[in-house]
Amino acid sequence: MDARAMVRAAMDTNHHILEGTMEGVTQEVAHWSPPGNPVPVGANYAHILMGEDFLLSGLRGVQPLGMTTFAGKMGISEPPPDPGAAWDAWARRIKVDVAQLRAYAQAVYASTDAYLASASQADFETVGEHPLSPVVPPMSKVAFVSNVLLGHVANHCGEISTVKGLQKLKGYPF
């Protein structure tokens, strides 16, 4: 399997696991605030999607779907805090529309896959700056996707699974 196919397959798998984990999430489940530090399911889901959309768009030098096609239609009651700011207060405050977020998710996934399908050899090989520089070391664009975005989706999906479990619901789809 070549690198392009491997990264596309990994992102696709993460997206399928995330969507399977979101199965059965109602508005009530999405907004339930767990005790302690975890944030509600809906806020975590929104954070995952916006992270993928905005970081990948920044990497590519294009406007994110959340600011174009889905401006005002992502399914969140207010925009997230500025990058680098604590997001937990926002996460406990926002209201989400699960159906709108899931539609946004499909568009984000399609955009990610379209980029990976058409990424140039330079995107795979050329090391450079990216949207999280200088916090994360320089790397190629595709390395950024496979090192940062894959982990971001998987890590927060685990949080969603846990918060669903705290509500006595099935988390991961397996």
Side-chain angles (χ1 to χ4, degrees), residues 1-10 116 119 121 124-125 142-143 146:
M1 178 181 289
D2 68 13
R4 177 186 317 277
M6 185 183 74
V7 175
R8 285 180 77 194
L116 292 172
Q121 195 61 35
F124 280 84
E125 296 174 356
V142 174
S146 57

Side-chain angles (χ1 to χ4, degrees), residues 63-75:
Q63 287 293 312
L65 294 170
M67 295 179 71
T68 56
T69 310
F70 281 85
K73 299 184 289 183
M74 290 187 320

Side-chain angles (χ1 to χ4, degrees), residues 63-124:
Q63 287 293 312
L65 294 170
M67 295 179 71
T68 56
T69 310
F70 281 85
K73 299 184 289 183
M74 290 187 320
I76 58 173
S77 61
E78 64 181 87
D82 291 332
W87 70 285
D88 56 333
W90 170 83
R92 287 181 179 76
R93 185 175 62 242
I94 68 160
K95 299 298 177 208
V96 301
D97 180 310
V98 176
Q100 278 188 314
L101 270 173
R102 291 193 91 176
Y104 174 55
Q106 295 308 308
V108 169
Y109 303 158
S111 177
T112 298
D113 189 62
Y115 166 68
L116 292 172
S118 66
S120 70
Q121 195 61 35
D123 289 339
F124 280 84

Side-chain angles (χ1 to χ4, degrees), residues 11 50-62 108 111-113 115-116 131 141 144-145 149:
M11 284 303 292
M50 288 183 293
E52 186 169 329
D53 181 20
F54 282 69
L55 289 171
L56 188 58
S57 295
L59 188 70
R60 296 168 59 200
V62 301
V108 169
S111 177
T112 298
D113 189 62
Y115 166 68
L116 292 172
K141 291 178 180 181
F144 182 84
V145 171
L149 291 182

